[in-house]
Amino acid sequence: MATPKQLYYEKRGQILVKNLQSRHFDAYYCENKEEALKKALELIPEGSSVGWGGAMSCEQIGLMDALKAGNYKALDRSLAKDAQEREQMMKEMLFADVF
């Protein structure tokens, strides 16, 4: 059985999704980080180049690790060896399939 806190978050999440969709955003409510990771991977086609700019929620659900381990071109600027390589990665991110 769901706790009052879980019910509160679910109800607020559904309201937020509805409001975002009314503004033409694609929005989804996921009950936990496992569901969120599964949904995120469903939305990113395999083989895509993917860049990010320091998204903590993506880190928290394990998305970055999943992208690096999967069939994706992960553009992780934090792994750059020097400033020149970091700058090159940031330029590649401008043309990434998913950002």
Side-chain angles (χ1 to χ4, degrees), residues 76-91:
D76 187 354
R77 66 183 182 192
S78 69
L79 301 178
K81 297 177 187 118
D82 54 34
Q84 185 179 4
E85 186 177 1
R86 181 181 167 91
E87 184 178 331
Q88 181 60 36
M89 275 191 193
M90 290 171 72
K91 287 178 183 178

Side-chain angles (χ1 to χ4, degrees), residues 16-51:
L16 178 61
V17 165
K18 182 180 174 185
N19 289 341
L20 288 169
Q21 288 174 340
S22 75
R23 291 168 176 83
H24 309 287
F25 285 90
D26 288 332
Y28 307 91
Y29 173 77
C30 298
E31 193 170 312
N32 54 49
K33 67 181 187 177
E34 292 80 18
E35 282 184 29
L37 176 60
K38 182 180 175 189
K39 180 50 118 178
L41 291 173
E42 285 175 10
L43 295 170
I44 303 171
E46 284 197 21
S48 297
S49 59
V50 183

